[in-house]
Amino acid sequence: MRQDSPDRLQRQAIVFCLLTGAIWGFGFIATSQSLSAFGAFQVLLIRFAGAAALAWIPVLTNRKSITRQSLTRGVVCGLFLFGAFALQTLGLDLTEAGSNAFFTSANVVLVPFLAWAVFRKPPALRQFGACLLCFAGIGLMGWTAGGFSLRTGDLLSLGCALLFACHIVSLQWAAGQDPDVINAIQMSVAALLSAVPGLSVRWPAHPGLLPVLSLVYLIAGSTWLAFWLQTRAQEHLEASRASLLLATESLWANLFAVIFLKERLSPAMAAGGLLILTAVYLTEQPASVRKTASTTEPPSAAQTEEP
């Protein structure tokens, strides 16, 4: 039973990452709707403050202790999280959702190199190839007849990709700490940093029902639940592997746009989705091989890094 436990936890972590990608995929639609009535930093303040309130419930209810190490690592995660979302939300306000999703998802290529620099462990060739394949798929899904043009919003989205990559790596750095505590701290830090710019502008008197419902989804789904799942998952997955699974948000975003916004499913979108699924299969294939040949293969990095 003890030997099967790490495999079971990794399978659960994979499901958590894929579910997070789906939640974030719909979040692009919700963010666009909320920005029709609220400013970018108002959206950030509402979503992080609401998510922080939800995140502290299990910490306070179960009287979980906050160590100096968990506080430090949670604050670092929160700094990267706020910076990434600030640039993403500002970028989404200045460019189309498809372009924003594409440039933001560039983090899938950056994470293996950042993880290499921090943890001194180079990515496997197959894993890095899968990241490039995934990024190519994201590019196809975001391609339009006129192609891509680099605008201010796109540059902000690229900066966001770098900070999201830093956040994913920082969550692996925080592995071993209580995930509920880490999630509560990072949500609180992001909420505090959003407060000054969010409260300094005029708030809408009648925002409308759809933007308000979109904010509810962003609070409970895209922020609190999604990052709780990601924080849990990265206890058992390497940062580069997690980033590729999380990058399926682009696939989900386009799928939800077809279903709910009645956008047309183009051949490029279908080909891009196939490339993303192929990349996910490639990066998970070594895990299945290790499972059938565990007597000859060394344990996974996620297992060896556990204290």
Side-chain angles (χ1 to χ4, degrees), residues 70-146:
S70 63
L71 179 62
T72 300
R73 299 191 179 197
V75 168
V76 171
C77 293
L79 290 172
F80 285 131
L81 182 65
F82 168 77
F85 266 96
L87 292 183
Q88 183 188 50
T89 307
L90 288 170
L92 189 57
D93 206 21
L94 296 172
T95 190
E96 292 82 10
S99 294
N100 182 266
F102 168 70
F103 287 112
T104 297
S105 297
N107 73 77
V108 74
V109 181
L110 299 175
V111 167
F113 293 104
L114 286 174
W116 186 1
V118 172
F119 303 113
R120 303 288 188 246
K121 184 179 183 298
L125 183 61
R126 176 187 289 231
Q127 191 175 51
F128 182 64
C131 289
L132 291 177
L133 190 65
C134 180
F135 188 57
I138 293 168
L140 277 175
M141 297 198 78
W143 191 262
T144 61

Side-chain angles (χ1 to χ4, degrees), residues 163-178:
L163 292 180
F164 265 130
C166 291
H167 178 253
I168 290 172
V169 174
S170 71
L171 279 180
Q172 182 174 339
W173 177 58
Q177 306 300 311
D178 190 307

